Amino acid sequence: MKYAEFRYTVTDGVATSNEGIVVITTNDALVSSTFDLDVDNWGILSNGAGVDSRPHFQPISRGIQLSYYIYGLDAVIHRRDDTGDDSMLWFFTAPPKFLGNHWAAYGGSLDFILSSAEGSFDAANLNLAGGGHLVELECATCAQFTGITLAMPLSPVFSYDGTITQFKLPLNEFAGWVKDPKNIILSWEPPTQCEFVSVLTGLSAIRILGDFTRGYESVALDTVTLRHGLGQPVRCYTSTV
């Protein structure tokens, strides 16, 4: 876990360097939620306004991987007439400790476990034919406060079938992440290295999909960890992204 952080500059009496940052950790996890006591301030987005608009805490174990976890229930289902997909997809949302400046996570990973106790995860019942976004990373202040959103699409590499599944998403521009073009006629394309670093230094939201199917389902989340990598590349220290 992250133990301490300090910042420094170097000067020769004439010029002063850009600020450097040193992060001290007790292991490779910068921040994590294991849900040992409660929901740990996690939330749910786009799931109505009732009791299921918040995650539920479940203090039981279901095998080795899933022990004391949170879960969400599909409270609102809006079926599209043309495709049959649920047009209102809900996400787990990370608490403040996962947000802000996590530059040291570049080259590391975002790890978490998903499981489902209810719902049909047959291919024909998946939203967007099994596509959509598994995870979204948002930086509201990036790109001169116009914002950048990165997404990890569901794919054969990162898919979900309702069973207990451990995900480990690499945090770099080569792992399959794509950037929102903010134009519905344009494709989501991979971010640059400095765009990815910029998002990690100003995280305003982390969203993990919980709504995979067209119908009712329950999805559990456990052991969410943001792990550090080699840190911010030198060439991105002065980037204006």
Side-chain angles (χ1 to χ4, degrees), residues 181-224:
K182 302 177 186 176
N183 188 323
I184 60 173
I185 67 173
L186 298 178
S187 300
W188 291 54
E189 300 292 343
T192 66
Q193 183 182 55
C194 291
E195 284 175 333
F196 205 106
V197 170
S198 180
V199 169
L200 293 177
T201 59
L203 284 166
S204 55
I206 298 177
R207 297 183 284 268
I208 299 175
L209 183 64
D211 196 345
F212 293 85
T213 76
R214 294 175 170 182
Y216 177 85
E217 74 229 278
S218 68
V219 172
L221 176 70
D222 199 6
T223 317
V224 186

Side-chain angles (χ1 to χ4, degrees), residues 130-132 134 152-160 175:
L134 175 61
M152 176 58 76
L154 285 160
S155 67
V157 177
F158 296 113
S159 61
Y160 184 58

Side-chain angles (χ1 to χ4, degrees), residues 15 33 45 53 56 78 80 116 120 123 154-155 175 178 203 221 236:
S33 286
L45 177 70
S53 64
H56 301 271
H78 289 168
R80 291 173 56 106
S116 178
S120 170
L154 285 160
S155 67
V178 290
L203 284 166
L221 176 70
C236 296

Side-chain angles (χ1 to χ4, degrees), residues 47-216:
N47 198 32
V51 64
D52 292 325
S53 64
R54 300 179 299 276
H56 301 271
F57 175 55
Q58 186 70 292
I60 64 172
S61 296
R62 288 170 48 198
I64 297 175
Q65 288 183 295
L66 204 65
S67 177
Y68 286 56
Y69 55 89
I70 63 172
Y71 68 94
L73 300 171
D74 219 334
V76 180
I77 300 173
H78 289 168
R79 297 288 290 270
R80 291 173 56 106
D81 293 333
D82 53 350
T83 65
D85 287 335
D86 184 352
S87 62
M88 190 170 178
L89 305 183
W90 61 268
F91 288 78
F92 294 103
T93 57
K97 68 179 181 179
F98 279 84
L99 309 181
N101 188 346
H102 287 292
W103 63 271
Y106 179 77
S109 64
L110 175 62
D111 304 353
F112 56 92
I113 295 170
L114 290 180
S115 180
S116 178
E118 300 173 273
S120 170
F121 285 78
D122 292 340
N125 196 44
L126 296 178
N127 286 312
L128 303 171
H133 298 160
L134 175 61
V135 172
E136 295 178 347
L137 306 177
E138 178 185 279
C139 171
T141 58
C142 290
Q144 298 181 333
F145 289 88
T146 61
I148 294 177
T149 298
L150 305 180
M152 176 58 76
L154 285 160
S155 67
V157 177
F158 296 113
S159 61
Y160 184 58
D161 61 3
T163 60
I164 298 177
T165 304
Q166 169 76 66
F167 290 93
K168 188 179 184 70
L169 308 186
L171 294 174
N172 64 69
E173 66 277 15
F174 302 113
W177 296 89
V178 290
K179 186 181 75 166
D180 185 356
K182 302 177 186 176
N183 188 323
I184 60 173
I185 67 173
L186 298 178
S187 300
W188 291 54
E189 300 292 343
T192 66
Q193 183 182 55
C194 291
E195 284 175 333
F196 205 106
V197 170
S198 180
V199 169
L200 293 177
T201 59
L203 284 166
S204 55
I206 298 177
R207 297 183 284 268
I208 299 175
L209 183 64
D211 196 345
F212 293 85
T213 76
R214 294 175 170 182
Y216 177 85

